[in-house]
Amino acid sequence: MAADPRDPGEQDASSRRKILKIGVGALGAGLVAIPLAPALGFLAYPLDGAGVAGETGFLAVGKRSGFGADVPVRVDLYADRTDAWNRTKNVKIGSAWVIEVEGGLRAFSTVCPHAGCAIDFDPAATKFTCPCHRSFFTLKDGAVEEGPSPRALDTLELRVEGGLVAIRFQRFRVGVVEKVVV
Ligand code: FES
């Protein structure tokens, strides 16, 4: 016998079936989304611009009085990092060499433009140097003096405000002549 649509009992049963279908559908979507979440987060990372809080901003690295001429000072830059699930405070995002040149400060990335090794300071030669393939760079402007680096050291934007030095950290493509932000 066909169910009477006017029967209140049948209407309740029909509503329960609809709610059950919606619930099962939502549960299924949730189960699919859980394993995909890290991948989706990874895909969203470069798009939402929230990968490293402050990465595009200026990060304080110390007092102006802490930097002088002749001997560069290496500083580490820290920022809060956010991904799809977590926010981690004070993650090291990079380093820079800071030196005073003609009364002003300059900051150079410590990433070698040749293949990405860490740039060092050679006090005997009074030059920046890369130990990987022996590139040498001037202290004044980071120009290549010797070695395979295809370009000068990458300068970073630097500000002095209220006696504090702040640097805007960026990464650049290695192995190419042009300075290209990555
Ligand atoms: S990585 Fe620096 S010279 Fe090759």
Side-chain angles (χ1 to χ4, degrees), residues 128-142:
F128 291 114
T129 179
C130 178
C132 288
H133 311 99
R134 294 187 54 77
S135 281
F136 289 89
F137 308 85
T138 63
L139 291 187
K140 183 180 170 188
D141 52 13

Side-chain angles (χ1 to χ4, degrees), residues 100-157:
E100 184 181 302
V101 178
E102 295 165 358
L105 292 185
R106 290 189 185 163
F108 299 102
S109 170
T110 60
V111 179
C112 180
H114 179 228
C117 289
I119 295 293
D120 208 347
F121 168 58
D122 181 341
T126 59
K127 291 174 185 169
F128 291 114
T129 179
C130 178
C132 288
H133 311 99
R134 294 187 54 77
S135 281
F136 289 89
F137 308 85
T138 63
L139 291 187
K140 183 180 170 188
D141 52 13
V144 181
E145 284 204 329
E146 190 184 328
S149 179
R151 64 175 187 269
L153 293 182
D154 296 314
T155 52
L156 299 169
E157 290 178 64

Side-chain angles (χ1 to χ4, degrees), residues 74-111:
R74 186 185 156 122
V75 293
D76 294 329
L77 294 110
Y78 293 86
D80 295 344
R81 187 178 191 104
T82 305
D83 60 25
W85 297 102
N86 303 302
R87 181 176 174 85
T88 312
K89 290 203 153 301
N90 264 348
V91 178
K92 182 178 169 185
I93 61 168
S95 302
W97 284 106
V98 180
I99 187 165
E100 184 181 302
V101 178
E102 295 165 358
L105 292 185
R106 290 189 185 163
F108 299 102
S109 170
T110 60
V111 179

